[in-house]
Amino acid sequence: QVQLVESGGGLVQTGGSLRLSCAASGRTFSSYTMAWFRQAPGKEREFVAAIFWSGSSTYYADFVKGRFTISRDNAKNTVYLQMNSLKPEDTAVYYCVASVGYGSRRPPDFGFWGQGTQVTVSS
């Protein structure tokens, strides 16, 4: 079992940067694949990025490649999402999620979800 709490969202102008953090509780954090999803108003939740339990492997949605970077610090039970070159279409609620598997981009495959943090990019 793992509990997830996101922080770092906010309002930023086009081209700006934000770093999201996700603090996890539970002794088994380091055994989970961690990921970020997002959901914009009126749209379905979509995969953003994921990182293997060891941090040795990552994968991204095509629309964030080169702009976003996912990382984790298992000693701090924290996963991060560095977001650069933000666009208005990145506006969404961003969710931190955890899974025992690796490689999926489907929301049902991630069993643990945070409450989300709002990111708004103004044009």
Side-chain angles (χ1 to χ4, degrees):
Q1 192 80 6
V2 61
Q3 290 78 44
L4 305 170
V5 178
E6 304 94 336
S7 62
L11 174 64
V12 64
Q13 292 186 335
T14 297
S17 298
L18 282 175
R19 188 176 82 154
L20 305 183
S21 298
C22 173
S25 61
R27 294 178 295 172
T28 58
F29 170 78
S30 61
S31 65
Y32 288 95
T33 290
M34 299 300 297
W36 293 90
F37 280 72
R38 70 185 188 185
Q39 187 169 22
K43 296 187 177 182
E44 294 186 351
R45 288 185 181 183
E46 61 181 356
F47 170 81
V48 176
I51 186 166
F52 192 53
W53 67 268
S54 66
S56 61
S57 180
T58 59
Y59 55 103
Y60 296 88
D62 286 344
F63 55 78
V64 302
K65 283 182 179 178
R67 300 191 298 126
F68 292 8
T69 302
I70 189 171
S71 61
R72 67 190 295 164
D73 185 338
N74 286 344
K76 296 182 178 180
N77 278 14
T78 302
V79 62
Y80 306 97
L81 185 68
Q82 177 66 45
M83 305 186 295
N84 299 327
S85 302
L86 283 162
K87 307 174 181 179
E89 52 264 44
D90 294 319
T91 294
V93 176
Y94 283 71
Y95 296 92
C96 176
V97 302
S99 173
V100 297
Y102 184 72
S104 175
R105 299 168 187 254
R106 299 174 60 248
D109 292 332
F110 292 81
F112 304 98
W113 290 72
Q115 293 300 307
T117 185
Q118 177 70 47
V119 171
T120 303
V121 185
S122 63
S123 57

